[in-house]
Amino acid sequence: MELTRRSVLQLGAGILVVASVPLKAFAAGEDLIESFTGGADIAEGGVTLTAPEIAENGNTVPIEVDAPGASEILVMAMGNPTPNVATFKFGALSASHSASTRIRLAGTQEVVAIAKMQDGSFARASATVKVTIGGCGG
Amino acid sequence: MADGVKPRVKVPKTAAAGDTITIKTLISHKMESGQRKDGDGNVIPRSIINRFTCDFNGQNVIDITLEAAISTNPYFEFQAIVPEAGEFKFTWYDDDGSVYEETKEISVS
């Protein structure tokens, strides 16, 4: 193959793409927030995320989300291989717009809850959970 | 259908009209995350429940999208308003296409 200016530039672009792939994986959680909010501003407060400070077993970590006036709550574990945990959508007969469940955490990390309010605004809460034994298998 | 899937739901039998009640649900399911490997190093394919809904007389109470990070035997606790006597319907959707259903009657005193 003849080494032209064009082929060199293409090669350079290819290397750049490969180099930026791990960076993208790391930012998966941020992308998820972006696609949920559509890039809108997120306020602190208005949503409560209850999680233990220390979880001995990462396989079942009890969490609770509570956001009065929210229509949807997105829960993410930023340090998991796939950060998305669950999305709660509240219907007409939902009383307190809160829910609790048990989640898996791969290791010590930040758990984030983002609530979409009925007026279209967004609120955010986060909690750091220390995990003694990770919950993703080996 | 995955083996040994059994839904369990706890709903009060009676409530006053307009009351708020707490509902607890649990379904036995292994929730294979797709991250684990077997003894030979092969990835065990993902097999989870990906959606759970609760409706009362056709009106939605909660609709939850589950991902692989939900623990084995997915458990949910939430609150609902009971405007009249009727029936709660709980539905779980499995990755393999199975749908598990459970209903609970509630009367208004």
Side-chain angles (χ1 to χ4, degrees):
Chain A
M1 197 180 89
E2 208 180 333
L3 196 68
T4 60
R5 182 170 179 268
R6 181 171 292 178
S7 69
V8 168
L9 280 176
Q10 277 173 349
L11 190 71
I15 290 168
L16 265 180
V17 168
V18 171
S20 63
V21 163
L23 206 69
K24 271 185 188 156
F26 183 72
E30 301 297 325
D31 285 355
L32 205 66
I33 297 176
E34 182 107 2
S35 66
F36 184 69
T37 61
D41 287 342
I42 305 170
E44 290 283 338
V47 53
T48 315
L49 172 69
T50 313
E53 218 164 277
I54 297 174
E56 277 176 19
N57 183 357
N59 271 312
T60 53
V61 183
I63 61 151
E64 186 180 353
V65 286
D66 181 10
S71 58
E72 267 181 64
I73 301 179
L74 171 74
V75 179
M76 283 170 302
M78 299 314 247
N80 272 9
T82 49
N84 204 344
V85 172
T87 312
F88 301 89
K89 283 185 195 140
F90 300 103
L93 288 179
S94 178
S96 64
H97 293 215
S98 68
S100 51
T101 184
R102 298 171 187 151
I103 67 171
R104 288 180 180 137
L105 295 176
T108 300
Q109 59 177 291
E110 196 184 12
V111 179
V112 176
I114 296 188
K116 183 182 188 180
M117 298 302 177
Q118 270 146 358
D119 61 8
S121 65
F122 293 92
R124 172 195 173 112
S126 64
T128 303
V129 182
K130 278 186 186 158
V131 177
T132 318
I133 306 166
C136 277
Chain B
M1 185 193 271
D3 296 331
V5 176
K6 188 181 172 223
R8 267 167 282 184
V9 176
K10 205 169 183 182
V11 178
K13 287 194 175 62
T14 58
D19 238 11
T20 295
I21 59 160
T22 300
I23 297 175
K24 294 177 183 178
T25 73
L26 186 135
I27 186 163
S28 46
H29 193 283
K30 60 187 182 322
M31 294 291 277
E32 191 58 63
S33 67
Q35 302 284 343
R36 298 197 309 149
K37 289 175 179 157
D38 63 14
D40 302 327
N42 303 314
V43 172
I44 306 170
R46 184 183 114 149
S47 168
I48 66 166
I49 292 197
N50 55 47
R51 185 168 173 232
F52 164 72
T53 61
C54 172
D55 295 274
F56 180 73
N57 289 352
Q59 272 194 287
N60 184 249
V61 176
I62 199 164
D63 182 342
I64 303 172
T65 309
L66 287 74
E67 305 290 340
I70 298 290
S71 300
T72 308
N73 303 339
Y75 162 85
F76 291 107
E77 183 180 331
F78 52 91
Q79 304 200 314
I81 301 166
V82 185
E84 70 228 354
E87 188 182 69
F88 278 102
K89 188 177 178 196
F90 305 90
T91 320
W92 291 262
Y93 300 85
D94 199 313
D95 262 356
D96 65 10
S98 311
V99 174
Y100 315 107
E101 284 181 355
E102 177 85 350
T103 54
K104 287 277 179 201
E105 299 276 344
I106 189 164
S107 57
V108 166
S109 52

